[in-house]
Amino acid sequence: QVQLVESGGGSVQAGGSLTLSCAASGHTYSAYCMAWFRHAPGKEREWVASGTIGGAMTYYGDSVKGRFTASQDNAKNTLYLQMNSLKPEDTGTYYCAADFRHWCSRTMVSDQFPYWGQGTQVTVSS
C-alpha cells in the first residue's frame, strides 16, 4: 500500500524558513513524479512545486519561484521543500502527492495525483 508521510511543518515569522519532507513507501517504482500542493482556508488548492524522483528535474509555481527549492533524495524516495523568505500568504496545509504513471511538468494539477499524504500545517505570522 502506497504511503506518503510528510514532516517539517510549523510556525514561523515572516521572512523565516522551514523545510518540509515527504517520504514515499509501499511501491516499486524507481522514477515518478512527486509534488507539493497547499490549501488555505477560503482558497483553492494550489500547486507549489514538483520534482522527479529518480531524476533531478524540479518545477515551481509562480508564487514561490525564487523563494522555495525542491530537492530529491532518490535513494530515500523523498522530496524536500526548502521554504525561504516565507510570507503570511504562504500559510496553509501543505500536502505531498505522487503520480507513478506520468512525469512531472511545468504546470501540475491536483487531479493528476492519485496518492496523497496527510498534510502538514505551515503558519507564517506577520
Side-chain angles (χ1 to χ4, degrees):
Q1 182 177 358
V2 175
Q3 284 191 316
L4 302 178
V5 179
E6 301 126 330
S7 61
S11 298
V12 295
Q13 291 190 329
S17 298
L18 284 173
T19 300
L20 307 182
S21 64
C22 177
S25 62
H27 67 88
T28 60
Y29 295 91
S30 60
Y32 53 96
C33 180
M34 289 182 72
W36 289 100
F37 288 81
R38 65 187 180 190
H39 189 204
K43 296 183 179 180
E44 294 187 354
R45 184 178 296 182
E46 178 188 11
W47 168 61
V48 176
S50 54
T52 300
I53 301 298
M57 296 298 293
T58 56
Y59 303 94
Y60 302 92
D62 289 340
S63 63
V64 305
K65 282 180 181 176
R67 300 187 299 122
F68 290 11
T69 302
S71 61
Q72 307 93 325
D73 185 330
N74 295 325
K76 295 182 178 180
N77 283 276
T78 298
L79 183 69
Y80 301 96
L81 186 67
Q82 173 68 42
M83 304 185 293
N84 297 327
S85 302
L86 282 161
K87 304 175 182 179
E89 50 264 44
D90 293 318
T91 295
T93 303
Y94 282 67
Y95 295 92
C96 174
D99 177 4
F100 299 107
R101 299 184 63 185
H102 305 92
W103 297 116
C104 292
S105 60
R106 297 185 183 278
T107 58
M108 311 296 300
V109 294
S110 59
D111 289 349
Q112 173 181 343
F113 294 88
Y115 300 101
W116 292 82
Q118 79 284 359
T120 186
Q121 179 66 34
V122 171
T123 303
V124 184
S125 58
S126 58

